[in-house]
Amino acid sequence: MKIEALRTSQGAGPDLATGSTLEVRGCSIRYGDKPAVNDVTLAFALHRVTALIGPSGCGKSTLLRALNRMNDHIQSCRLEGQVLYHGQDIYDPAIDAAEVRKRMGMVFQKPNPFPKSIFDNVAFGPRLNGTFRGQARQALADHVEKCLRAAGLWEEVKDRLRDSALSLSGGQQQRLCIARAIANDPEVLLMDEPCSALDPISTARIEELILDMRENYTIVIVTHNMEQAARVSDNTGFLLSGDLVEFNNTADLFSRPRSKKTEDYITGRFG
Amino acid sequence: MSLSTTQRIPLRSEQKFRPVEFSALAFLRASALVSIVTTLAIVVVLVYESIPFFRHVSPWEFLLGTQWTPLLEPRAFGVLPLVVGTLHVVIGAGLIALPLGLLTGIFLSEYAGPRTRALLKPLVEVLAGIPTVVYGFFALTFVTPILQRFFPSIGLFNSLSASIVVGIMILPFVASLCEDTLRAVPRSLRDGAYALGATKAEVTLKVVVPGALSGVLASFILALSRAIGETMAVTLAAGSTPKLTANVLESIQTMTAYIVQVSLGDTPRGTIEYQSIFAVGLLLFLVTLALNIASNRILKRFREHYE
């Protein structure tokens, strides 16, 4: 499926007015002999939220993890096609996967703070990259505060930055993981079902946060929660057994799905 | 009588006696009791037998004295030379086994592929199955001759070769425990670090090892307490010269080796030399007990609570 083709078909098509820094072209991924993603092509609009929806096992998480080469650690995983970041194929053998990951923050399904202090969790990326090496300690502390504020966690933890991150609640831990991810100053934020382990109130806070953050980041969120996709995203891609069935702006995809399969899924007929 | 009527059977009001259940429970309880009773009996015997010793030698003199000549006149019962001898072996073995064991554990858990691990892990664990007396004559007939090339002044019996073989002996213990605890660090933490742009070495050093710190420390302490209790190899290789020395090229005597020496000799029961082995045994027991408690505390206190 070509992006150009999508634009000319009925409706407005995906909102790509802001351009895109991240694109997937003819991307197929398989685990051993088992195909997970088949020939997917789509573009993630700059400073927009793109949701990937679909039933369990449809390949949406696999596709997300392909964007920052997290699948490299799975031995049997093979990828064909291209993932272009600023026009550069990140799977080019000359490209260092760690460098790619520094530019793209990732938030996981289950909050996974390191068993370190709250401060050290946020400072992990900057320390790794030596961002503030040779500068006053205060520079790092200021940066940590900025990230915690951006993740809406500062007020809750400012008096206990030295406490273990594991003492936080699940929702706070997930916001800490968001703060940790944006501490690297990434352009892209990849979120893999970030609310699936959280209660409704924590979920609402994270969703608010996603809407706030879209000004500064290009966000890709995988979710099995269609209401969530409708609430937070600008564009939505629907995947089914590894195929990108439909990719459109979120409003149109949910109100006027072009494909019968999309319609069946969003009306709850399966999945 | 119609088929639909079912006769009501009242529930049995008394507990039925089930012989198999009863005897199984009794047997399991008895088995568990054996180890508890044995441990208590050992403590009682150690304390009871060392009381007469401490009537002759004050605990102060015993713990702080620097001369240990229980079999020669004038007799002296200062245990420090034996403690220092034991320290030689513990420190030497620790210097070898702790870093090498941790590195082996890191390699097995983080770097080795499934096939390498399947091959290497049993191989490392075989080291733990070799009888300690074999390690003893390995030290005497193989390690010491090699050391002699580097240190011509080294004695036939010396604490260095004993430390080296005890180090090799406890290495699989450290490696295996470290590997287990490193592998218990959840994958999600590794993923978190990779996603921030960490390389494999950075993930290992900054997330996995700190995340498994409690287990690593506990494995260190348990291995050291094994080195303290190790007997046969040090008796063979380190000799039986109680000496307050820092020189690892000389012969020394450890607490365990002293107990062997007296037990094997024709020391009559009831003499002070005979009683002294219980005092040394009691000290040995208390030290290893303290280390085991410390290791449990560390595990409990610093254990990272992964869900």
Side-chain angles (χ1 to χ4, degrees), chain A residues 70 73 101 112-113 116 184, chain B residues 188-189 191 194-196 206:
Chain A
M70 283 300 281
H73 300 297
R101 296 189 197 115
N112 59 349
K116 301 173 187 288
N184 269 351
Chain B
S188 64
L189 287 188
D191 278 355
Y194 279 123
L196 292 168
K206 296 184 176 168

Side-chain angles (χ1 to χ4, degrees), chain B residues 17-61:
Chain B
F17 179 73
R18 294 186 169 84
V20 175
E21 288 293 318
F22 178 82
S23 46
L25 183 66
F27 181 73
L28 293 174
R29 271 207 184 121
S31 315
L33 215 59
V34 168
S35 59
I36 297 172
V37 169
T38 314
T39 311
L40 286 178
I42 290 174
V43 176
V44 168
V45 169
L46 281 178
V47 172
Y48 181 80
E49 294 278 356
S50 43
I51 287 171
F53 174 82
F54 285 115
R55 277 205 197 106
H56 286 276
V57 182
S58 78
W60 201 245
E61 195 186 331

Side-chain angles (χ1 to χ4, degrees), chain A residues 228-248:
Chain A
Q228 182 169 66
R231 283 192 298 262
V232 303
S233 72
D234 302 287
N235 292 325
T236 298
F238 170 56
L239 282 111
L240 186 63
S241 8
D243 298 317
L244 181 64
V245 173
E246 188 161 345
F247 179 50
N248 207 342

Side-chain angles (χ1 to χ4, degrees), chain A residues 65 70 73 98 101-102 104 106 108 110 112-116 124 128 180-181 184, chain B residues 187-189 191-198 202 206-207 210-211 304-307:
Chain A
R65 291 169 65 91
M70 283 300 281
H73 300 297
R101 296 189 197 115
K102 281 174 192 171
M104 303 192 202
M106 190 169 217
F108 297 82
K110 251 180 64 184
N112 59 349
F114 302 131
K116 301 173 187 288
F124 190 88
L128 204 63
R180 183 176 73 184
N184 269 351
Chain B
R187 199 200 156 85
S188 64
L189 287 188
D191 278 355
Y194 279 123
L196 292 168
E202 288 166 337
K206 296 184 176 168
V207 173
E304 297 73 20
H305 296 276
Y306 302 124
E307 283 162 39

